[in-house]
Amino acid sequence: QVQLVESGGGTVQPGGSLTLSCAASGSLTYFMTWVRQAPGKPLEWVSTIDQDSTRKTYSYSVMGRFTISRDNAKNTVYLQLNSLRPEDTAMYYCTFGVYIEHTTSPESRGTQVTVSS
């Protein structure tokens, strides 16, 4: 079973930036997705990318601030986070495929992003 390992999280001030990475132990799937979960809140879809990086979709809350990318040769997906806000504080996970509400359930450990002054 292919496993995913996220990294790159940390604590930053509002307006700061981070780059998250998600390394797979095997091949990536056609679609790869980032989701996040803040304490006490449900899982939230963040962004999805297709295999050729021609289609990238974002939630309204991150559009224009976050950028998803992938390197198929390295079996890695990235999420560039810019102009971070306190409400971006959450555990970030990458998942295979597209996001399906009430169904997608990350099995990896995730990486914590905290935005605080």
Side-chain angles (χ1 to χ4, degrees):
Q1 184 177 357
V2 179
Q3 296 184 333
L4 299 170
V5 178
E6 301 91 344
S7 62
T11 299
V12 297
Q13 294 185 342
S17 298
L18 286 170
T19 301
L20 307 184
S21 298
C22 171
S25 58
S27 297
L28 301 175
T29 53
Y30 189 89
F31 290 106
M32 293 295 297
T33 292
W34 283 95
V35 296
R36 66 186 182 184
Q37 188 164 27
K41 295 188 177 181
L43 198 65
E44 176 188 9
W45 170 69
V46 175
S47 182
T48 298
I49 187 170
D50 72 349
Q51 184 174 23
D52 300 324
S53 300
T54 56
R55 281 186 292 171
K56 303 176 183 180
T57 53
Y58 302 91
S59 67
Y60 286 116
S61 61
V62 308
M63 195 176 299
R65 300 187 298 120
F66 292 7
T67 302
I68 192 171
S69 61
R70 63 191 286 167
D71 186 331
N72 294 327
K74 295 182 178 180
N75 294 327
T76 302
V77 185
Y78 304 95
L79 188 67
Q80 175 68 41
L81 287 62
N82 295 326
S83 302
L84 282 162
R85 305 167 180 169
E87 54 264 38
D88 294 318
T89 295
M91 186 70 76
Y92 286 71
Y93 305 89
C94 63
T95 63
F96 294 111
V98 298
Y99 174 74
I100 302 174
E101 191 173 13
H102 304 308
T103 298
T104 295
S105 179
E107 298 182 351
S108 50
R109 297 183 63 179
T111 187
Q112 177 68 40
V113 172
T114 302
V115 185
S116 174
S117 55

